[in-house]
PDB file of all heavy atoms in Angstrom:
ATOM      1  N   ASP S  16       4.658  -6.257   4.606  1.00  0.00           N
ATOM      2  CA  ASP S  16       5.196  -6.182   5.973  1.00  0.00           C
ATOM      3  C   ASP S  16       4.110  -5.734   6.979  1.00  0.00           C
ATOM      4  O   ASP S  16       4.124  -6.179   8.125  1.00  0.00           O
ATOM      5  CB  ASP S  16       6.371  -5.222   6.029  1.00  0.00           C
ATOM      6  CG  ASP S  16       7.595  -5.772   5.360  1.00  0.00           C
ATOM      7  OD1 ASP S  16       7.673  -7.008   5.164  1.00  0.00           O
ATOM      8  OD2 ASP S  16       8.517  -4.999   5.021  1.00  0.00           O
ATOM      9  N   SER S  17       3.204  -4.924   6.510  1.00  0.00           N
ATOM     10  CA  SER S  17       2.194  -4.341   7.411  1.00  0.00           C
ATOM     11  C   SER S  17       1.191  -5.401   7.935  1.00  0.00           C
ATOM     12  O   SER S  17       0.516  -5.177   8.917  1.00  0.00           O
ATOM     13  CB  SER S  17       1.425  -3.234   6.723  1.00  0.00           C
ATOM     14  OG  SER S  17       0.828  -3.715   5.533  1.00  0.00           O
ATOM     15  N   VAL S  18       1.116  -6.555   7.245  1.00  0.00           N
ATOM     16  CA  VAL S  18       0.136  -7.549   7.670  1.00  0.00           C
ATOM     17  C   VAL S  18       0.814  -8.854   8.056  1.00  0.00           C
ATOM     18  O   VAL S  18       0.100  -9.790   8.536  1.00  0.00           O
ATOM     19  CB  VAL S  18      -0.911  -7.806   6.545  1.00  0.00           C
ATOM     20  CG1 VAL S  18      -1.540  -6.503   6.123  1.00  0.00           C
ATOM     21  CG2 VAL S  18      -0.285  -8.523   5.341  1.00  0.00           C
ATOM     22  N   LYS S  19       2.082  -8.976   7.864  1.00  0.00           N
ATOM     23  CA  LYS S  19       2.812 -10.204   8.137  1.00  0.00           C
ATOM     24  C   LYS S  19       2.614 -10.592   9.588  1.00  0.00           C
ATOM     25  O   LYS S  19       2.753  -9.781  10.484  1.00  0.00           O
ATOM     26  CB  LYS S  19       4.260 -10.046   7.777  1.00  0.00           C
ATOM     27  CG  LYS S  19       5.022 -11.299   7.526  1.00  0.00           C
ATOM     28  CD  LYS S  19       6.427 -11.016   7.002  1.00  0.00           C
ATOM     29  CE  LYS S  19       6.395 -10.358   5.633  1.00  0.00           C
ATOM     30  NZ  LYS S  19       7.751 -10.126   5.064  1.00  0.00           N
ATOM     31  N   GLY S  20       2.292 -11.869   9.798  1.00  0.00           N
ATOM     32  CA  GLY S  20       2.073 -12.357  11.149  1.00  0.00           C
ATOM     33  C   GLY S  20       0.659 -12.208  11.641  1.00  0.00           C
ATOM     34  O   GLY S  20       0.257 -12.798  12.658  1.00  0.00           O
ATOM     35  N   ARG S  21      -0.158 -11.408  10.911  1.00  0.00           N
ATOM     36  CA  ARG S  21      -1.545 -11.207  11.293  1.00  0.00           C
ATOM     37  C   ARG S  21      -2.503 -11.769  10.251  1.00  0.00           C
ATOM     38  O   ARG S  21      -3.605 -12.249  10.605  1.00  0.00           O
ATOM     39  CB  ARG S  21      -1.843  -9.721  11.483  1.00  0.00           C
ATOM     40  CG  ARG S  21      -1.036  -9.045  12.552  1.00  0.00           C
ATOM     41  CD  ARG S  21      -1.479  -7.637  12.815  1.00  0.00           C
ATOM     42  NE  ARG S  21      -1.355  -6.757  11.641  1.00  0.00           N
ATOM     43  CZ  ARG S  21      -2.381  -6.104  11.068  1.00  0.00           C
ATOM     44  NH1 ARG S  21      -3.598  -6.195  11.595  1.00  0.00           N
ATOM     45  NH2 ARG S  21      -2.164  -5.344  10.022  1.00  0.00           N
ATOM     46  N   PHE S  22      -2.149 -11.719   8.988  1.00  0.00           N
ATOM     47  CA  PHE S  22      -2.996 -12.159   7.910  1.00  0.00           C
ATOM     48  C   PHE S  22      -2.438 -13.463   7.327  1.00  0.00           C
ATOM     49  O   PHE S  22      -1.218 -13.633   7.264  1.00  0.00           O
ATOM     50  CB  PHE S  22      -3.077 -11.120   6.785  1.00  0.00           C
ATOM     51  CG  PHE S  22      -3.801  -9.878   7.115  1.00  0.00           C
ATOM     52  CD1 PHE S  22      -4.221  -9.575   8.425  1.00  0.00           C
ATOM     53  CD2 PHE S  22      -4.142  -8.960   6.131  1.00  0.00           C
ATOM     54  CE1 PHE S  22      -4.895  -8.408   8.729  1.00  0.00           C
ATOM     55  CE2 PHE S  22      -4.836  -7.782   6.416  1.00  0.00           C
ATOM     56  CZ  PHE S  22      -5.205  -7.522   7.724  1.00  0.00           C
ATOM     57  N   THR S  23      -3.337 -14.331   6.890  1.00  0.00           N
ATOM     58  CA  THR S  23      -2.956 -15.596   6.253  1.00  0.00           C
ATOM     59  C   THR S  23      -3.772 -15.829   5.023  1.00  0.00           C
ATOM     60  O   THR S  23      -5.015 -15.740   5.066  1.00  0.00           O
ATOM     61  CB  THR S  23      -3.105 -16.759   7.245  1.00  0.00           C
ATOM     62  OG1 THR S  23      -2.372 -16.515   8.455  1.00  0.00           O
ATOM     63  CG2 THR S  23      -2.646 -18.056   6.611  1.00  0.00           C
ATOM     64  N   ILE S  24      -3.091 -16.144   3.936  1.00  0.00           N
ATOM     65  CA  ILE S  24      -3.765 -16.491   2.670  1.00  0.00           C
ATOM     66  C   ILE S  24      -3.721 -17.985   2.513  1.00  0.00           C
ATOM     67  O   ILE S  24      -2.666 -18.619   2.719  1.00  0.00           O
ATOM     68  CB  ILE S  24      -3.105 -15.795   1.472  1.00  0.00           C
ATOM     69  CG1 ILE S  24      -3.271 -14.278   1.564  1.00  0.00           C
ATOM     70  CG2 ILE S  24      -3.670 -16.316   0.169  1.00  0.00           C
ATOM     71  CD1 ILE S  24      -2.529 -13.500   0.522  1.00  0.00           C
ATOM     72  N   SER S  25      -4.828 -18.542   2.089  1.00  0.00           N
ATOM     73  CA  SER S  25      -4.900 -19.965   1.801  1.00  0.00           C
ATOM     74  C   SER S  25      -5.820 -20.174   0.616  1.00  0.00           C
ATOM     75  O   SER S  25      -6.659 -19.318   0.306  1.00  0.00           O
ATOM     76  CB  SER S  25      -5.370 -20.761   3.022  1.00  0.00           C
ATOM     77  OG  SER S  25      -6.679 -20.355   3.378  1.00  0.00           O
ATOM     78  N   GLY S  26      -5.645 -21.330  -0.035  1.00  0.00           N
ATOM     79  CA  GLY S  26      -6.458 -21.603  -1.184  1.00  0.00           C
ATOM     80  C   GLY S  26      -7.066 -22.978  -1.093  1.00  0.00           C
ATOM     81  O   GLY S  26      -6.471 -23.902  -0.521  1.00  0.00           O
ATOM     82  N   HIS S  27      -8.274 -23.098  -1.611  1.00  0.00           N
ATOM     83  CA  HIS S  27      -8.956 -24.388  -1.653  1.00  0.00           C
ATOM     84  C   HIS S  27      -9.140 -24.757  -3.117  1.00  0.00           C
ATOM     85  O   HIS S  27     -10.023 -24.215  -3.806  1.00  0.00           O
ATOM     86  CB  HIS S  27     -10.298 -24.312  -0.927  1.00  0.00           C
ATOM     87  CG  HIS S  27     -10.888 -25.651  -0.618  1.00  0.00           C
ATOM     88  ND1 HIS S  27     -11.208 -26.552  -1.627  1.00  0.00           N
ATOM     89  CD2 HIS S  27     -11.165 -26.266   0.535  1.00  0.00           C
ATOM     90  CE1 HIS S  27     -11.697 -27.619  -1.091  1.00  0.00           C
ATOM     91  NE2 HIS S  27     -11.681 -27.501   0.229  1.00  0.00           N
ATOM     92  N   ASN S  28      -8.293 -25.616  -3.584  1.00  0.00           N
ATOM     93  CA  ASN S  28      -8.257 -25.936  -5.010  1.00  0.00           C
ATOM     94  C   ASN S  28      -9.616 -26.441  -5.542  1.00  0.00           C
ATOM     95  O   ASN S  28     -10.093 -25.991  -6.586  1.00  0.00           O
ATOM     96  CB  ASN S  28      -7.165 -26.976  -5.277  1.00  0.00           C
ATOM     97  CG  ASN S  28      -6.775 -27.019  -6.699  1.00  0.00           C
ATOM     98  OD1 ASN S  28      -7.420 -26.484  -7.589  1.00  0.00           O
ATOM     99  ND2 ASN S  28      -5.620 -27.661  -7.002  1.00  0.00           N
ATOM    100  N   ALA S  29     -10.175 -27.373  -4.849  1.00  0.00           N
ATOM    101  CA  ALA S  29     -11.436 -27.988  -5.303  1.00  0.00           C
ATOM    102  C   ALA S  29     -12.567 -26.980  -5.384  1.00  0.00           C
ATOM    103  O   ALA S  29     -13.466 -27.109  -6.218  1.00  0.00           O
ATOM    104  CB  ALA S  29     -11.819 -29.156  -4.403  1.00  0.00           C
ATOM    105  N   GLU S  30     -12.536 -25.989  -4.505  1.00  0.00           N
ATOM    106  CA  GLU S  30     -13.605 -24.985  -4.487  1.00  0.00           C
ATOM    107  C   GLU S  30     -13.232 -23.750  -5.317  1.00  0.00           C
ATOM    108  O   GLU S  30     -14.052 -22.842  -5.406  1.00  0.00           O
ATOM    109  CB  GLU S  30     -13.879 -24.568  -3.039  1.00  0.00           C
ATOM    110  CG  GLU S  30     -14.427 -25.678  -2.179  1.00  0.00           C
ATOM    111  CD  GLU S  30     -14.673 -25.244  -0.721  1.00  0.00           C
ATOM    112  OE1 GLU S  30     -14.326 -24.090  -0.396  1.00  0.00           O
ATOM    113  OE2 GLU S  30     -15.263 -26.039   0.015  1.00  0.00           O
ATOM    114  N   ASN S  31     -12.037 -23.717  -5.842  1.00  0.00           N
ATOM    115  CA  ASN S  31     -11.571 -22.544  -6.602  1.00  0.00           C
ATOM    116  C   ASN S  31     -11.737 -21.267  -5.798  1.00  0.00           C
ATOM    117  O   ASN S  31     -12.216 -20.244  -6.290  1.00  0.00           O
ATOM    118  CB  ASN S  31     -12.338 -22.420  -7.926  1.00  0.00           C
ATOM    119  CG  ASN S  31     -11.563 -23.003  -9.075  1.00  0.00           C
ATOM    120  OD1 ASN S  31     -10.404 -23.399  -8.950  1.00  0.00           O
ATOM    121  ND2 ASN S  31     -12.210 -23.040 -10.225  1.00  0.00           N
ATOM    122  N   THR S  32     -11.372 -21.329  -4.545  1.00  0.00           N
ATOM    123  CA  THR S  32     -11.545 -20.202  -3.648  1.00  0.00           C
ATOM    124  C   THR S  32     -10.249 -19.921  -2.919  1.00  0.00           C
ATOM    125  O   THR S  32      -9.557 -20.834  -2.489  1.00  0.00           O
ATOM    126  CB  THR S  32     -12.660 -20.501  -2.631  1.00  0.00           C
ATOM    127  OG1 THR S  32     -13.879 -20.786  -3.336  1.00  0.00           O
ATOM    128  CG2 THR S  32     -12.874 -19.321  -1.677  1.00  0.00           C
ATOM    129  N   VAL S  33      -9.952 -18.637  -2.759  1.00  0.00           N
ATOM    130  CA  VAL S  33      -8.795 -18.227  -1.975  1.00  0.00           C
ATOM    131  C   VAL S  33      -9.310 -17.383  -0.825  1.00  0.00           C
ATOM    132  O   VAL S  33     -10.273 -16.624  -0.947  1.00  0.00           O
ATOM    133  CB  VAL S  33      -7.765 -17.420  -2.829  1.00  0.00           C
ATOM    134  CG1 VAL S  33      -8.367 -16.144  -3.358  1.00  0.00           C
ATOM    135  CG2 VAL S  33      -6.528 -17.113  -2.005  1.00  0.00           C
ATOM    136  N   TYR S  34      -8.703 -17.597   0.337  1.00  0.00           N
ATOM    137  CA  TYR S  34      -9.170 -16.937   1.553  1.00  0.00           C
ATOM    138  C   TYR S  34      -8.115 -15.992   2.098  1.00  0.00           C
ATOM    139  O   TYR S  34      -6.901 -16.182   1.903  1.00  0.00           O
ATOM    140  CB  TYR S  34      -9.469 -17.991   2.623  1.00  0.00           C
ATOM    141  CG  TYR S  34     -10.531 -18.990   2.207  1.00  0.00           C
ATOM    142  CD1 TYR S  34     -10.129 -20.243   1.725  1.00  0.00           C
ATOM    143  CD2 TYR S  34     -11.871 -18.700   2.288  1.00  0.00           C
ATOM    144  CE1 TYR S  34     -11.080 -21.160   1.321  1.00  0.00           C
ATOM    145  CE2 TYR S  34     -12.809 -19.620   1.900  1.00  0.00           C
ATOM    146  CZ  TYR S  34     -12.446 -20.833   1.425  1.00  0.00           C
ATOM    147  OH  TYR S  34     -13.387 -21.739   1.047  1.00  0.00           O
ATOM    148  N   LEU S  35      -8.590 -14.956   2.809  1.00  0.00           N
ATOM    149  CA  LEU S  35      -7.699 -14.059   3.516  1.00  0.00           C
ATOM    150  C   LEU S  35      -8.188 -14.031   4.954  1.00  0.00           C
ATOM    151  O   LEU S  35      -9.226 -13.413   5.249  1.00  0.00           O
ATOM    152  CB  LEU S  35      -7.725 -12.668   2.917  1.00  0.00           C
ATOM    153  CG  LEU S  35      -6.849 -11.624   3.626  1.00  0.00           C
ATOM    154  CD1 LEU S  35      -5.374 -12.014   3.498  1.00  0.00           C
ATOM    155  CD2 LEU S  35      -7.059 -10.247   3.019  1.00  0.00           C
ATOM    156  N   GLN S  36      -7.476 -14.728   5.837  1.00  0.00           N
ATOM    157  CA  GLN S  36      -7.825 -14.714   7.254  1.00  0.00           C
ATOM    158  C   GLN S  36      -7.065 -13.540   7.893  1.00  0.00           C
ATOM    159  O   GLN S  36      -5.855 -13.462   7.799  1.00  0.00           O
ATOM    160  CB  GLN S  36      -7.371 -16.013   7.905  1.00  0.00           C
ATOM    161  CG  GLN S  36      -7.604 -16.083   9.409  1.00  0.00           C
ATOM    162  CD  GLN S  36      -9.068 -16.090   9.761  1.00  0.00           C
ATOM    163  OE1 GLN S  36      -9.875 -16.779   9.157  1.00  0.00           O
ATOM    164  NE2 GLN S  36      -9.430 -15.306  10.803  1.00  0.00           N
ATOM    165  N   MET S  37      -7.836 -12.654   8.504  1.00  0.00           N
ATOM    166  CA  MET S  37      -7.274 -11.451   9.077  1.00  0.00           C
ATOM    167  C   MET S  37      -7.495 -11.462  10.590  1.00  0.00           C
ATOM    168  O   MET S  37      -8.644 -11.463  11.021  1.00  0.00           O
ATOM    169  CB  MET S  37      -7.905 -10.207   8.461  1.00  0.00           C
ATOM    170  CG  MET S  37      -7.848 -10.184   6.958  1.00  0.00           C
ATOM    171  SD  MET S  37      -8.468  -8.649   6.217  1.00  0.00           S
ATOM    172  CE  MET S  37     -10.210  -8.797   6.673  1.00  0.00           C
ATOM    173  N   ASN S  38      -6.399 -11.512  11.333  1.00  0.00           N
ATOM    174  CA  ASN S  38      -6.453 -11.507  12.791  1.00  0.00           C
ATOM    175  C   ASN S  38      -5.812 -10.251  13.348  1.00  0.00           C
ATOM    176  O   ASN S  38      -5.090  -9.562  12.642  1.00  0.00           O
ATOM    177  CB  ASN S  38      -5.729 -12.746  13.352  1.00  0.00           C
ATOM    178  CG  ASN S  38      -6.385 -14.045  12.896  1.00  0.00           C
ATOM    179  OD1 ASN S  38      -7.598 -14.125  12.710  1.00  0.00           O
ATOM    180  ND2 ASN S  38      -5.543 -15.065  12.721  1.00  0.00           N
ATOM    181  N   SER S  39      -6.106  -9.985  14.608  1.00  0.00           N
ATOM    182  CA  SER S  39      -5.508  -8.805  15.274  1.00  0.00           C
ATOM    183  C   SER S  39      -5.693  -7.541  14.448  1.00  0.00           C
ATOM    184  O   SER S  39      -4.741  -6.782  14.203  1.00  0.00           O
ATOM    185  CB  SER S  39      -4.019  -9.051  15.558  1.00  0.00           C
ATOM    186  OG  SER S  39      -3.848 -10.199  16.366  1.00  0.00           O
ATOM    187  N   LEU S  40      -6.889  -7.352  13.970  1.00  0.00           N
ATOM    188  CA  LEU S  40      -7.176  -6.224  13.056  1.00  0.00           C
ATOM    189  C   LEU S  40      -6.979  -4.881  13.782  1.00  0.00           C
ATOM    190  O   LEU S  40      -7.226  -4.755  14.974  1.00  0.00           O
ATOM    191  CB  LEU S  40      -8.584  -6.330  12.502  1.00  0.00           C
ATOM    192  CG  LEU S  40      -8.728  -7.348  11.397  1.00  0.00           C
ATOM    193  CD1 LEU S  40     -10.176  -7.763  11.175  1.00  0.00           C
ATOM    194  CD2 LEU S  40      -8.123  -6.831  10.088  1.00  0.00           C
ATOM    195  N   LYS S  41      -6.509  -3.939  13.018  1.00  0.00           N
ATOM    196  CA  LYS S  41      -6.249  -2.581  13.470  1.00  0.00           C
ATOM    197  C   LYS S  41      -7.099  -1.591  12.688  1.00  0.00           C
ATOM    198  O   LYS S  41      -7.445  -1.855  11.528  1.00  0.00           O
ATOM    199  CB  LYS S  41      -4.753  -2.223  13.280  1.00  0.00           C
ATOM    200  CG  LYS S  41      -3.809  -3.217  13.923  1.00  0.00           C
ATOM    201  CD  LYS S  41      -2.374  -2.860  13.561  1.00  0.00           C
ATOM    202  CE  LYS S  41      -1.389  -3.845  14.136  1.00  0.00           C
ATOM    203  NZ  LYS S  41       0.012  -3.532  13.786  1.00  0.00           N
ATOM    204  N   PRO S  42      -7.361  -0.414  13.247  1.00  0.00           N
ATOM    205  CA  PRO S  42      -8.112   0.583  12.485  1.00  0.00           C
ATOM    206  C   PRO S  42      -7.492   0.911  11.158  1.00  0.00           C
ATOM    207  O   PRO S  42      -8.224   1.177  10.178  1.00  0.00           O
ATOM    208  CB  PRO S  42      -8.123   1.799  13.435  1.00  0.00           C
ATOM    209  CG  PRO S  42      -8.041   1.197  14.808  1.00  0.00           C
ATOM    210  CD  PRO S  42      -7.148  -0.008  14.645  1.00  0.00           C
ATOM    211  N   GLU S  43      -6.184   0.880  11.066  1.00  0.00           N
ATOM    212  CA  GLU S  43      -5.506   1.169   9.817  1.00  0.00           C
ATOM    213  C   GLU S  43      -5.665   0.079   8.769  1.00  0.00           C
ATOM    214  O   GLU S  43      -5.249   0.257   7.624  1.00  0.00           O
ATOM    215  CB  GLU S  43      -4.006   1.446  10.020  1.00  0.00           C
ATOM    216  CG  GLU S  43      -3.278   0.397  10.843  1.00  0.00           C
ATOM    217  CD  GLU S  43      -3.180   0.761  12.319  1.00  0.00           C
ATOM    218  OE1 GLU S  43      -4.183   1.275  12.889  1.00  0.00           O
ATOM    219  OE2 GLU S  43      -2.087   0.578  12.885  1.00  0.00           O
ATOM    220  N   ASP S  44      -6.273  -1.027   9.107  1.00  0.00           N
ATOM    221  CA  ASP S  44      -6.618  -2.054   8.138  1.00  0.00           C
ATOM    222  C   ASP S  44      -7.932  -1.753   7.425  1.00  0.00           C
ATOM    223  O   ASP S  44      -8.285  -2.467   6.454  1.00  0.00           O
ATOM    224  CB  ASP S  44      -6.737  -3.447   8.819  1.00  0.00           C
ATOM    225  CG  ASP S  44      -5.459  -3.933   9.381  1.00  0.00           C
ATOM    226  OD1 ASP S  44      -4.378  -3.799   8.704  1.00  0.00           O
ATOM    227  OD2 ASP S  44      -5.457  -4.461  10.497  1.00  0.00           O
ATOM    228  N   THR S  45      -8.605  -0.710   7.839  1.00  0.00           N
ATOM    229  CA  THR S  45      -9.841  -0.331   7.182  1.00  0.00           C
ATOM    230  C   THR S  45      -9.650   0.048   5.763  1.00  0.00           C
ATOM    231  O   THR S  45      -8.778   0.887   5.457  1.00  0.00           O
ATOM    232  CB  THR S  45     -10.502   0.855   7.944  1.00  0.00           C
ATOM    233  OG1 THR S  45     -10.840   0.467   9.247  1.00  0.00           O
ATOM    234  CG2 THR S  45     -11.702   1.373   7.201  1.00  0.00           C
ATOM    235  N   ALA S  46     -10.347  -0.650   4.860  1.00  0.00           N
ATOM    236  CA  ALA S  46     -10.172  -0.430   3.405  1.00  0.00           C
ATOM    237  C   ALA S  46     -11.185  -1.288   2.668  1.00  0.00           C
ATOM    238  O   ALA S  46     -11.845  -2.139   3.256  1.00  0.00           O
ATOM    239  CB  ALA S  46      -8.780  -0.802   2.987  1.00  0.00           C
ATOM    240  N   VAL S  47     -11.256  -1.059   1.376  1.00  0.00           N
ATOM    241  CA  VAL S  47     -11.933  -1.996   0.469  1.00  0.00           C
ATOM    242  C   VAL S  47     -10.872  -3.015   0.052  1.00  0.00           C
ATOM    243  O   VAL S  47      -9.806  -2.650  -0.413  1.00  0.00           O
ATOM    244  CB  VAL S  47     -12.535  -1.313  -0.757  1.00  0.00           C
ATOM    245  CG1 VAL S  47     -13.143  -2.362  -1.677  1.00  0.00           C
ATOM    246  CG2 VAL S  47     -13.561  -0.279  -0.301  1.00  0.00           C
ATOM    247  N   TYR S  48     -11.189  -4.285   0.235  1.00  0.00           N
ATOM    248  CA  TYR S  48     -10.272  -5.366  -0.098  1.00  0.00           C
ATOM    249  C   TYR S  48     -10.683  -6.008  -1.411  1.00  0.00           C
ATOM    250  O   TYR S  48     -11.855  -6.299  -1.634  1.00  0.00           O
ATOM    251  CB  TYR S  48     -10.249  -6.399   1.015  1.00  0.00           C
ATOM    252  CG  TYR S  48      -9.458  -5.947   2.225  1.00  0.00           C
ATOM    253  CD1 TYR S  48      -9.930  -4.932   3.035  1.00  0.00           C
ATOM    254  CD2 TYR S  48      -8.220  -6.529   2.523  1.00  0.00           C
ATOM    255  CE1 TYR S  48      -9.182  -4.490   4.117  1.00  0.00           C
ATOM    256  CE2 TYR S  48      -7.473  -6.113   3.599  1.00  0.00           C
ATOM    257  CZ  TYR S  48      -7.971  -5.076   4.405  1.00  0.00           C
ATOM    258  OH  TYR S  48      -7.229  -4.644   5.479  1.00  0.00           O
ATOM    259  N   TYR S  49      -9.665  -6.185  -2.278  1.00  0.00           N
ATOM    260  CA  TYR S  49      -9.896  -6.696  -3.602  1.00  0.00           C
ATOM    261  C   TYR S  49      -9.096  -7.993  -3.825  1.00  0.00           C
ATOM    262  O   TYR S  49      -7.934  -8.092  -3.420  1.00  0.00           O
ATOM    263  CB  TYR S  49      -9.457  -5.714  -4.665  1.00  0.00           C
ATOM    264  CG  TYR S  49     -10.224  -4.430  -4.691  1.00  0.00           C
ATOM    265  CD1 TYR S  49      -9.782  -3.327  -3.942  1.00  0.00           C
ATOM    266  CD2 TYR S  49     -11.373  -4.294  -5.446  1.00  0.00           C
ATOM    267  CE1 TYR S  49     -10.482  -2.130  -3.973  1.00  0.00           C
ATOM    268  CE2 TYR S  49     -12.083  -3.100  -5.487  1.00  0.00           C
ATOM    269  CZ  TYR S  49     -11.629  -2.020  -4.729  1.00  0.00           C
ATOM    270  OH  TYR S  49     -12.308  -0.858  -4.753  1.00  0.00           O
ATOM    271  N   CYS S  50      -9.706  -8.906  -4.533  1.00  0.00           N
ATOM    272  CA  CYS S  50      -9.035 -10.102  -5.016  1.00  0.00           C
ATOM    273  C   CYS S  50      -8.614  -9.815  -6.449  1.00  0.00           C
ATOM    274  O   CYS S  50      -9.352  -9.192  -7.216  1.00  0.00           O
ATOM    275  CB  CYS S  50      -9.983 -11.274  -4.948  1.00  0.00           C
ATOM    276  SG  CYS S  50      -9.310 -12.843  -5.455  1.00  0.00           S
ATOM    277  N   ALA S  51      -7.423 -10.281  -6.851  1.00  0.00           N
ATOM    278  CA  ALA S  51      -6.931 -10.028  -8.178  1.00  0.00           C
ATOM    279  C   ALA S  51      -6.226 -11.288  -8.718  1.00  0.00           C
ATOM    280  O   ALA S  51      -5.751 -12.110  -7.937  1.00  0.00           O
ATOM    281  CB  ALA S  51      -5.958  -8.855  -8.170  1.00  0.00           C
TER     282      ALA S  51
END
């Protein structure tokens, strides 16, 4: 809920890559981000 409407996840199958587009960032978004 904290990121809904601001963050978007997408995947590129051919590149085997997943993306996290982060918009309207806030100071409380400060963190280490991990892919799992």
Side-chain angles (χ1 to χ4, degrees):
D16 288 342
S17 58
V18 306
K19 202 172 293 183
R21 300 187 298 122
F22 290 11
T23 303
I24 293 173
S25 61
H27 194 299
N28 199 346
E30 296 179 354
N31 262 354
T32 301
V33 63
Y34 302 98
L35 178 65
Q36 177 67 44
M37 305 185 294
N38 298 328
S39 302
L40 282 161
K41 305 175 182 180
E43 51 263 43
D44 294 318
T45 295
V47 177
Y48 284 70
Y49 296 92
C50 182

